[in-house]
mmCIF file of all heavy atoms in Angstrom:
data_model
loop_
_atom_site.group_PDB
_atom_site.id
_atom_site.type_symbol
_atom_site.label_atom_id
_atom_site.label_comp_id
_atom_site.label_asym_id
_atom_site.label_seq_id
_atom_site.Cartn_x
_atom_site.Cartn_y
_atom_site.Cartn_z
ATOM 1 N N SER A 130 68.467 36.158 67.604
ATOM 2 C CA SER A 130 69.517 35.177 67.350
ATOM 3 C C SER A 130 69.398 34.547 65.966
ATOM 4 O O SER A 130 70.399 34.242 65.320
ATOM 5 C CB SER A 130 69.474 34.085 68.426
ATOM 6 O OG SER A 130 68.192 33.480 68.456
ATOM 7 N N MET A 133 70.903 36.819 63.410
ATOM 8 C CA MET A 133 72.359 36.819 63.489
ATOM 9 C C MET A 133 72.945 35.562 62.845
ATOM 10 O O MET A 133 73.977 35.621 62.180
ATOM 11 C CB MET A 133 72.797 36.928 64.946
ATOM 12 C CG MET A 133 72.540 38.318 65.520
ATOM 13 S SD MET A 133 73.241 38.484 67.140
ATOM 14 C CE MET A 133 72.871 40.204 67.449
ATOM 15 N N LEU A 134 72.286 34.433 63.085
ATOM 16 C CA LEU A 134 72.787 33.198 62.497
ATOM 17 C C LEU A 134 72.710 33.248 60.969
ATOM 18 O O LEU A 134 73.637 32.810 60.279
ATOM 19 C CB LEU A 134 71.975 32.006 63.023
ATOM 20 C CG LEU A 134 72.311 31.558 64.447
ATOM 21 C CD1 LEU A 134 71.270 30.590 64.952
ATOM 22 C CD2 LEU A 134 73.699 30.937 64.500
ATOM 23 N N SER A 135 71.604 33.787 60.438
ATOM 24 C CA SER A 135 71.439 33.844 58.990
ATOM 25 C C SER A 135 72.408 34.827 58.346
ATOM 26 O O SER A 135 72.747 34.699 57.175
ATOM 27 C CB SER A 135 69.999 34.232 58.642
ATOM 28 O OG SER A 135 69.728 35.542 59.088
ATOM 29 N N GLU A 136 72.860 35.830 59.113
ATOM 30 C CA GLU A 136 73.770 36.827 58.565
ATOM 31 C C GLU A 136 75.207 36.640 59.103
ATOM 32 O O GLU A 136 76.022 37.539 59.072
ATOM 33 C CB GLU A 136 73.273 38.227 58.922
ATOM 34 C CG GLU A 136 71.933 38.566 58.291
ATOM 35 C CD GLU A 136 71.402 39.902 58.759
ATOM 36 O OE1 GLU A 136 72.146 40.627 59.425
ATOM 37 O OE2 GLU A 136 70.252 40.209 58.452
ATOM 38 N N TYR A 137 75.473 35.433 59.566
ATOM 39 C CA TYR A 137 76.758 35.166 60.221
ATOM 40 C C TYR A 137 77.956 35.536 59.350
ATOM 41 O O TYR A 137 78.948 36.072 59.832
ATOM 42 C CB TYR A 137 76.820 33.683 60.596
ATOM 43 C CG TYR A 137 78.107 33.297 61.290
ATOM 44 C CD1 TYR A 137 78.345 33.703 62.606
ATOM 45 C CD2 TYR A 137 79.073 32.526 60.643
ATOM 46 C CE1 TYR A 137 79.511 33.346 63.248
ATOM 47 C CE2 TYR A 137 80.242 32.177 61.291
ATOM 48 C CZ TYR A 137 80.458 32.582 62.591
ATOM 49 O OH TYR A 137 81.607 32.250 63.234
ATOM 50 N N ASN A 140 78.198 39.363 59.472
ATOM 51 C CA ASN A 140 78.085 40.016 60.781
ATOM 52 C C ASN A 140 78.727 39.168 61.885
ATOM 53 O O ASN A 140 78.126 38.900 62.924
ATOM 54 C CB ASN A 140 76.611 40.266 61.137
ATOM 55 C CG ASN A 140 75.967 41.279 60.231
ATOM 56 O OD1 ASN A 140 76.368 42.430 60.192
ATOM 57 N ND2 ASN A 140 74.976 40.844 59.480
ATOM 58 N N GLU A 141 79.950 38.746 61.661
ATOM 59 C CA GLU A 141 80.620 37.886 62.636
ATOM 60 C C GLU A 141 80.740 38.547 64.006
ATOM 61 O O GLU A 141 80.539 37.904 65.036
ATOM 62 C CB GLU A 141 82.018 37.523 62.120
ATOM 63 C CG GLU A 141 82.004 36.555 60.955
ATOM 64 C CD GLU A 141 83.423 36.196 60.524
ATOM 65 O OE1 GLU A 141 84.104 35.539 61.318
ATOM 66 O OE2 GLU A 141 83.826 36.612 59.431
ATOM 67 N N GLN A 142 81.066 39.829 64.001
ATOM 68 C CA GLN A 142 81.253 40.511 65.284
ATOM 69 C C GLN A 142 79.949 40.627 66.063
ATOM 70 O O GLN A 142 79.940 40.475 67.285
ATOM 71 C CB GLN A 142 81.844 41.906 65.060
ATOM 72 C CG GLN A 142 83.334 41.870 64.726
ATOM 73 C CD GLN A 142 83.889 43.273 64.567
ATOM 74 O OE1 GLN A 142 83.467 43.991 63.689
ATOM 75 N NE2 GLN A 142 84.816 43.633 65.414
ATOM 76 N N LEU A 143 78.845 40.900 65.346
ATOM 77 C CA LEU A 143 77.553 40.987 66.008
ATOM 78 C C LEU A 143 77.177 39.651 66.640
ATOM 79 O O LEU A 143 76.724 39.594 67.779
ATOM 80 C CB LEU A 143 76.473 41.388 64.993
ATOM 81 C CG LEU A 143 76.390 42.858 64.589
ATOM 82 C CD1 LEU A 143 75.338 43.039 63.504
ATOM 83 C CD2 LEU A 143 76.062 43.732 65.782
ATOM 84 N N PHE A 144 77.375 38.589 65.903
ATOM 85 C CA PHE A 144 77.060 37.257 66.413
ATOM 86 C C PHE A 144 77.926 36.922 67.621
ATOM 87 O O PHE A 144 77.454 36.406 68.634
ATOM 88 C CB PHE A 144 77.274 36.211 65.308
ATOM 89 C CG PHE A 144 77.004 34.800 65.759
ATOM 90 C CD1 PHE A 144 75.714 34.373 65.982
ATOM 91 C CD2 PHE A 144 78.061 33.922 65.973
ATOM 92 C CE1 PHE A 144 75.465 33.078 66.406
ATOM 93 C CE2 PHE A 144 77.822 32.624 66.401
ATOM 94 C CZ PHE A 144 76.517 32.207 66.614
ATOM 95 N N TRP A 145 79.196 37.270 67.483
ATOM 96 C CA TRP A 145 80.122 36.986 68.584
ATOM 97 C C TRP A 145 79.726 37.756 69.843
ATOM 98 O O TRP A 145 79.713 37.202 70.946
ATOM 99 C CB TRP A 145 81.537 37.380 68.155
ATOM 100 C CG TRP A 145 82.559 37.165 69.245
ATOM 101 C CD1 TRP A 145 83.222 36.018 69.535
ATOM 102 C CD2 TRP A 145 83.001 38.136 70.201
ATOM 103 N NE1 TRP A 145 84.056 36.196 70.610
ATOM 104 C CE2 TRP A 145 83.932 37.492 71.034
ATOM 105 C CE3 TRP A 145 82.684 39.477 70.422
ATOM 106 C CZ2 TRP A 145 84.556 38.159 72.091
ATOM 107 C CZ3 TRP A 145 83.310 40.139 71.473
ATOM 108 C CH2 TRP A 145 84.232 39.477 72.289
ATOM 109 N N LEU A 146 79.346 39.034 69.670
ATOM 110 C CA LEU A 146 78.981 39.851 70.819
ATOM 111 C C LEU A 146 77.697 39.346 71.469
ATOM 112 O O LEU A 146 77.610 39.255 72.695
ATOM 113 C CB LEU A 146 78.805 41.317 70.384
ATOM 114 C CG LEU A 146 78.491 42.303 71.504
ATOM 115 C CD1 LEU A 146 79.610 42.325 72.536
ATOM 116 C CD2 LEU A 146 78.278 43.701 70.936
ATOM 117 N N PHE A 147 76.732 39.007 70.652
ATOM 118 C CA PHE A 147 75.467 38.510 71.172
ATOM 119 C C PHE A 147 75.676 37.210 71.965
ATOM 120 O O PHE A 147 75.056 36.982 72.990
ATOM 121 C CB PHE A 147 74.499 38.267 70.016
ATOM 122 C CG PHE A 147 73.070 38.102 70.428
ATOM 123 C CD1 PHE A 147 72.274 39.203 70.665
ATOM 124 C CD2 PHE A 147 72.511 36.837 70.573
ATOM 125 C CE1 PHE A 147 70.943 39.053 71.044
ATOM 126 C CE2 PHE A 147 71.196 36.680 70.949
ATOM 127 C CZ PHE A 147 70.404 37.792 71.186
ATOM 128 N N LYS A 148 76.579 36.394 71.463
ATOM 129 C CA LYS A 148 76.857 35.102 72.092
ATOM 130 C C LYS A 148 77.668 35.239 73.373
ATOM 131 O O LYS A 148 77.516 34.461 74.320
ATOM 132 C CB LYS A 148 77.610 34.211 71.093
ATOM 133 C CG LYS A 148 77.834 32.786 71.572
ATOM 134 C CD LYS A 148 78.535 31.970 70.492
ATOM 135 C CE LYS A 148 78.794 30.550 70.960
ATOM 136 N NZ LYS A 148 79.510 29.763 69.929
ATOM 137 N N ASN A 149 78.527 36.244 73.406
ATOM 138 C CA ASN A 149 79.459 36.369 74.526
ATOM 139 C C ASN A 149 79.157 37.514 75.489
ATOM 140 O O ASN A 149 79.918 37.730 76.433
ATOM 141 C CB ASN A 149 80.886 36.548 73.990
ATOM 142 C CG ASN A 149 81.402 35.298 73.319
ATOM 143 O OD1 ASN A 149 81.838 34.355 73.969
ATOM 144 N ND2 ASN A 149 81.332 35.266 71.996
ATOM 145 N N ILE A 150 78.058 38.238 75.260
ATOM 146 C CA ILE A 150 77.782 39.415 76.082
ATOM 147 C C ILE A 150 77.701 39.072 77.570
ATOM 148 O O ILE A 150 78.151 39.829 78.418
ATOM 149 C CB ILE A 150 76.488 40.125 75.605
ATOM 150 C CG1 ILE A 150 76.307 41.450 76.342
ATOM 151 C CG2 ILE A 150 75.275 39.225 75.733
ATOM 152 C CD1 ILE A 150 75.194 42.303 75.773
#
Side-chain angles (χ1 to χ4, degrees):
S130 57
M133 288 187 176
L134 283 168
S135 65
E136 296 175 9
Y137 180 72
N140 293 297
E141 289 182 67
Q142 284 182 297
L143 282 176
F144 179 73
W145 178 85
L146 183 60
F147 195 82
K148 186 178 179 182
N149 291 280
I150 188 171

